[in-house]
Amino acid sequence: MDSRIVIVAYKPKPGMESELKALTLDHYPKLKEQDLVTDRIPVIMQSQDGTIIEVFEWKSSEAIQQAHTNKAIGQMWVEFSKVCDYIPIGQVAESSNLFADYSPVS
């Protein structure tokens, strides 16, 4: 299996925290609808500074590439860009802790 587990950090733009949470909770279902991710349920959490972190599994490297040409996914990513900035997980303060802990998002 060529699946790929990714960790992504979304830092909300000012005043966009609730919009970002809503988009993140809808992210996996939309990817699943397009048959791009596995059945593994994603983990979605929030850091103390409000950054949302999502861990999910793409079906394959090819699925990642397909997402970049998928119209529905492209539109979803446009919506994400309106409410957040993507940042490296290493920029989230808790990630430097031996046991990085976050608040669950549901």
Side-chain angles (χ1 to χ4, degrees), residues 8-82:
V8 60
Y10 312 109
K11 185 162 187 77
K13 292 182 179 180
M16 296 294 190
E17 294 83 1
S18 62
E19 291 86 352
L20 176 57
K21 280 184 183 179
L23 277 172
T24 306
L25 291 171
D26 197 39
H27 187 225
Y28 172 81
K30 285 197 176 177
L31 292 172
K32 187 70 175 154
E33 183 178 280
Q34 300 297 314
D35 198 33
L36 297 170
V37 292
T38 68
D39 291 333
R40 187 185 307 268
I41 302 301
V43 175
I44 303 171
M45 56 202 127
Q46 186 171 23
S47 69
Q48 287 189 348
D49 76 354
T51 299
I52 302 291
I53 299 149
E54 182 181 24
V55 180
F56 67 96
E57 185 176 17
W58 292 100
K59 278 191 161 185
S60 64
S61 297
E62 292 77 23
I64 296 170
Q65 294 308 312
Q66 290 170 8
H68 288 276
T69 59
N70 182 300
K71 202 172 197 175
I73 301 307
Q75 182 55 45
M76 178 178 54
W77 287 346
V78 167
E79 296 304 314
F80 267 92
S81 70
K82 292 177 184 176

